[in-house]
Amino acid sequence: SEAYPTDGNLGDDAPPEDRLNAHIRAILGTIFDDGRVGNFAKVMFSEFGTPTKEFHEVVHATFHPLKEKMDGIVRSLLGEGATESEVFLCGMSVVNQCMAFAHRRELRRHIVEQEGGGPLNSDILSEHIAEFSLGGMRAVRERIMRSAQGLSEPADMKDLI
C-alpha cells in the first residue's frame, strides 16, 4: 500500500534491522488502519479462512512480492549460511506476530489495552516485534555460525543467556 510502504522509503542500502522495522510497521499500519486500506486487509484476512478461487490469484499478486522482500531482509540478517527453511521460518514468525492483531478489531483493542497495560499503537507494537524478532534471528544466526565452524549446540537455553 502507498499509505504504508514496506520499505519505509529507506532504500535497499539501509541496514536490514531498519528495513525489518519498516516492513513490520507497514504490516501493522495496514492492520490497524480504520479506513479503506484496513477494510481491504480485513477482507484479505477473512479470505484466508475460506478462500475463493480468485483469492489465490490476489494472494500471489499481493503477498508474493511482500514475502520476497521479507525473505531478502531475513536472509541478510541470518547470513549466507542460512537455509531456505530457516529464512522461511524466521520470516513467517515475524509476519505471524503481526497477524495476531489482524482479527476482530474490537477484541484486539480490548485485549491490547486491557492486558497490555494501556493503549498500544502500531508504532509501539512494531518496535516490540522487531526487537523480539531480531533477538530470535540473532540466536539463529549464532547457531548457523557455530554449526559452520563445527562447534556444538549449547546444552540448553541457559547457555545462550
Side-chain angles (χ1 to χ4, degrees):
S1 152
E2 290 180 24
Y4 305 101
T6 58
D7 64 1
N9 298 317
L10 295 175
D12 292 336
D13 58 340
E17 296 85 357
D18 293 345
R19 290 185 290 133
L20 178 67
N21 198 332
H23 200 80
I24 292 167
R25 282 181 189 280
I27 294 169
L28 288 174
T30 301
I31 289 169
F32 277 74
D33 188 287
D34 287 326
R36 189 178 58 83
V37 172
N39 287 334
F40 174 75
K42 183 178 177 182
V43 169
M44 289 301 294
F45 296 132
S46 70
E47 282 279 325
F48 280 117
T50 54
T52 61
K53 187 175 104 176
E54 296 81 13
F55 176 69
H56 296 289
E57 295 170 16
V58 172
V59 164
H60 186 74
T62 304
F63 290 107
H64 187 71
L66 298 175
K67 180 192 177 304
E68 292 297 313
K69 186 177 287 275
M70 177 66 79
D71 286 353
I73 295 167
V74 170
R75 192 172 287 107
S76 66
L77 289 165
L78 294 181
E80 294 177 16
T83 65
E84 289 303 312
S85 178
E86 290 164 330
V87 170
F88 170 76
L89 290 171
C90 287
M92 183 180 65
S93 176
V94 172
V95 171
N96 280 317
Q97 288 178 75
C98 297
M99 297 294 291
F101 298 98
H103 305 288
R104 299 208 166 98
R105 289 181 186 177
E106 303 78 27
L107 181 61
R108 176 186 70 216
R109 286 195 176 110
H110 173 76
I111 290 171
V112 168
E113 290 183 12
Q114 297 299 315
E115 301 298 323
L120 297 177
N121 60 37
S122 60
D123 290 335
I124 293 169
L125 291 170
S126 66
E127 289 291 330
H128 168 74
I129 292 170
E131 181 180 30
F132 191 83
S133 298
L134 287 168
M137 283 187 251
R138 197 171 299 115
V140 172
R141 180 184 176 104
E142 289 171 6
R143 179 183 46 76
I144 291 167
M145 291 170 52
R146 280 193 310 273
S147 179
Q149 296 170 354
L151 301 174
S152 64
E153 296 289 324
D156 59 33
M157 188 61 131
K158 71 180 175 197
D159 293 336
L160 290 174
I161 301 173

